[in-house]
Amino acid sequence: MSSNRRPWIIAIPLLSLTLPAALAQGSLEDYQRAERFLPGNVRHLVSPADVTAHWIEKTNRFWYHRENAAGADFVLVDADHNTSAPAFDHARLAEALSHALKQQYSATALPFSDFEFTDGGKAVRFSVDNAQWTCPLATYDCQKDPPRPEKPNETLSPNKRWAAYVKDHNLYLRDVSTGTALQLTHDGVSGWDYATPLPSLRLFVEQQAEEVQQPAAVFWSPDSSKLITYRIDSRNSGHFTSLQFVPPNQLRPRAFTYVYPLPGEVLAKAEPILFDIQSGERIDLKNTAIELPFQDGPGFEWFPDSKAFFYDYDERGFKAKELRIVNASTGDQRVVVREQADLYMDPGETFFRFVEGTGEVLWASERDGWNHLYLYSKAGQLENQVTQGPWVMRQIEHIDEKNRRIYFLANGREKSEDPYQTHLYSVGFDGKGVQLLSPENANHSVSVSPDGTFFVDNYSRPDLPGAAVLRRTSDGSEVRVLEKTDATAMLNTGWKFPEPFQGKAADGTTALYGLIWRPSNFDPLKKYPIVEHVYTGPQGFFVPKAFSGTLHLQAMAELGFIVVMVDGRGTVGHSRAFHQFSYRNLGGAFEDHVAMIKQMAERYPYMDATRVGIYGTSAGAYGAAHAMLAFPEFYKVGVAISGDHDARLDKAWWNEAYQGYPIQDDYAAQSNVTMAGRLAGHLLLEHGDIDDNVHPVETMRFADALMKANKNFDMLLVPNMFHGESGEHDLYLVRRRWDYFVQYLLGVTPPSDFEIKEDRSLLGSARRRRR
């Protein structure tokens, strides 16, 4: 009998070894299907109804750029007359441009996505290959515009008479009509320049120069009689040097050195300076040095009468904000509104708007525990709280001064729906008469007409394709449907909408929200590894709430994974207490993510919580690596892209705001570098040599710590990559990321050298950059 049993004893372990591979995906067929679900390729299956309204001057007419599988065109809408038509004759314009540029264009693939009406709507102007073109709509005789009188480094006055520029660190004016130059300053030196923003690495790389050209940072009064500028002292600022290993047109690497302040360091200071153009008088504003916690420079905005300008001032660590108004004749300034907080005031949540006719100020604040609006008098006295309740005022869209009503976006006010979904409301200045104007149970983004009569409403959910409609602001009633999202072709592939998921935080009481993606060939009888796409930055919330935002993660699911996203405590869109969970605790967010994924797996047994991977970019890369270090028994595989692994080596503003100021021991305690010895799984680090946001020193320091801890890991230092998977190698990096999870989470050998192809023709050139 024993001899009969032996083959079964041998066969059982063999079966257990081969079973995961038999059930796993990650095959060539899965890679090909994943490729079809990349954003550029999936646009041939679905075109989200996402209308960006370009209102024409102060009318109720607007145009928008429409993209779909058939191509792209421009639509002109007249809201007053409820009409919609092509913005111009696309075929005639394509023919005219083809003739003028000696290159073939079609009516559905014009070489621009933005334009403006000129000559009272009788012509259109647009840019092709950095040149401006104008086409009269009567003849379509397209002509290239003559060069503008100002040069690229000049800033023209509103009346076009003066051009401001910087030469040898000093500020000059050029009389455009005569060419005569007037030197306004004489003592500028390197590191203590006039009208020169602190440049980013990207400018150095793009210009391939050791000193970059920038437009003069001057802010002209509307009547062109005065200008406000600044002088930045960066002589004691910390610098980074970046090495571009494969620069264009040369073999040797290029080094670029630039100001990059780290938390706790001495910051560059900008000193505002006012010039009267006619008298030549210079006024240095008193006691107004503005510390710069990163690059660029401060901004100023003039009132329409040119008698004064204003700016906002943030104390270091964002512990206080002031609205300051400056008298343009004397340089005297007054603080209209000041607010301070014990921990921090989120710079993205605290903002203001003037009521032009009265000088009153609408001020956003989390002071009562939720972000809401407050009305201040012209003198700076609090008049009343405008919005209130356990929900979040997000953004002011329009102010109706005549009827004293405010149109604003908010989330969390509607019951029985995802509290992160945004709606448009109106309310009186006195806080009375709150009115819902976008009623669908969906996420709404809007654009209000200049006179406040109409608004364009784009609405959808991850599981609702949605539409773009034109509505009236008086009651939210629909004027016309502009576009509808048709997901039929996507659904015909077997694809299903991502599923919203509600669970509890690690405290067992706080409600959290996530999203789940499944492969289109999903089989509930299989066990699927889980891949989390993560970003936990406290400046926002990141689980998509609109349909179009969900499409980019489907490709990863097609490889044979369940993909998830979670917004844990510490992010915005909720109460201030919820938001502040992450303060001095950026590394503490992941207990919520572990708790949520476990709840998902408990509800859906096909989700295998013993095989969990994670990836992210920037703060998401810190999060991906940190989750693996904090919970090595849970997260088994990770990919960290452009990661800020140590807050001590990252930009001052973001970390001093959210990790805390002054600098304390928590910076080191929550660093991935400090925790490197806890790594237990497979980790791939990616970083670009010319990352203009997070310097690659952070990944190198982390790699050094991992080596010292004798840990195995993988790393890609990518040439000519800015922040995130970008540039000419981006699809290669997508494939390597796919391979990494397929190999180490699925346990399958990836297809050899699979080359991803994506149609970029319908994708905008701008790539989203976080932080």
Side-chain angles (χ1 to χ4, degrees), residues 384-401:
N384 58 269
Q385 184 171 349
V386 179
T387 62
Q388 55 187 308
W391 47 274
V392 181
M393 193 288 305
R394 299 287 306 284
Q395 183 174 314
I396 297 172
E397 291 293 336
H398 180 74
I399 300 172
D400 180 352
E401 296 190 31

Side-chain angles (χ1 to χ4, degrees), residues 40 165 365 391 423 433 441 454 480 698 714:
Y165 65 97
S365 167
W391 47 274
H423 293 267
N441 179 358
F454 301 96
R480 69 184 296 121
E698 298 211 46
D714 298 283

Side-chain angles (χ1 to χ4, degrees), residues 479-757:
V479 177
R480 69 184 296 121
V481 175
L482 299 169
E483 303 289 338
K484 280 188 175 181
T485 299
D486 183 0
T488 304
M490 278 274 285
L491 291 166
N492 287 341
T493 68
W495 170 84
K496 299 292 190 297
F497 296 110
E499 179 189 343
F501 182 89
Q502 181 179 346
K504 298 293 184 182
D507 63 5
T509 58
T510 305
L512 298 182
Y513 296 81
L515 205 56
I516 301 172
W517 289 258
R518 298 171 179 85
S520 60
N521 63 350
F522 172 69
D523 181 352
L525 299 179
K526 288 186 177 181
K527 277 281 192 179
Y528 289 87
I530 302 165
V531 174
E532 180 183 5
H533 179 49
V534 67
Y535 192 91
T536 58
Q539 78 274 23
F541 59 85
F542 305 98
V543 175
K545 301 302 173 183
F547 175 74
S548 60
T550 68
L551 300 178
H552 70 290
L553 289 180
Q554 186 62 39
M556 177 65 77
E558 295 300 322
L559 299 174
F561 302 109
I562 302 294
V563 177
V564 304
M565 284 190 72
V566 171
D567 277 318
R569 288 172 294 173
T571 51
V572 301
H574 213 284
S575 68
R576 180 157 178 79
F578 185 100
H579 190 187
Q580 289 183 338
F581 178 79
S582 56
Y583 190 72
R584 296 200 182 278
N585 186 37
L586 290 180
F590 301 99
E591 59 180 1
D592 284 350
H593 293 243
V594 172
M596 281 284 280
I597 293 173
K598 286 182 177 179
Q599 292 167 58
M600 292 174 179
E602 184 176 355
R603 182 181 302 180
Y604 300 116
Y606 50 77
M607 295 177 67
D608 187 353
T610 68
R611 292 183 292 164
V612 181
I614 186 170
Y615 77 99
T617 299
S618 194
Y622 164 79
H626 196 83
M628 293 188 69
L629 302 175
F631 298 94
E633 74 291 344
F634 188 77
Y635 290 102
K636 307 297 174 56
V637 183
V639 178
I641 305 156
S642 306
D644 50 330
H645 297 288
D646 192 326
R648 297 170 295 180
L649 282 167
D650 194 32
K651 64 194 75 63
W653 88 263
W654 197 86
N655 296 277
E656 289 184 357
Y658 299 118
Q659 183 64 33
Y661 182 81
I663 312 307
Q664 295 180 4
D665 292 343
D666 48 76
Y667 271 74
Q670 296 178 51
S671 164
N672 289 344
V673 174
T674 306
M675 298 174 62
R678 292 177 57 86
L679 181 67
H682 295 276
L683 176 63
L684 171 62
L685 305 177
E686 296 179 12
H687 219 120
D689 60 346
I690 52 171
D691 192 319
D692 54 331
N693 188 344
V694 176
H695 195 278
V697 67
E698 298 211 46
T699 289
M700 296 304 288
R701 282 271 182 177
F702 187 28
D704 177 68
L706 291 168
M707 292 176 184
K708 288 176 178 176
N710 198 33
K711 297 296 180 179
N712 292 337
F713 66 100
D714 298 283
M715 186 166 70
L716 289 168
L717 182 61
V718 186
N720 292 323
M721 186 173 88
F722 288 110
H723 194 56
E725 291 179 336
S726 60
E728 62 179 325
H729 304 304
D730 61 337
L731 292 179
Y732 169 83
L733 296 171
V734 170
R735 194 265 295 172
R736 290 295 302 271
R737 173 159 44 86
W738 290 1
D739 287 353
Y740 208 74
F741 286 115
V742 166
Q743 180 175 354
Y744 292 116
L745 204 57
L746 279 173
V748 173
T749 301
S752 178
D753 301 327
F754 183 80
E755 184 176 359
I756 294 177
K757 293 181 173 59

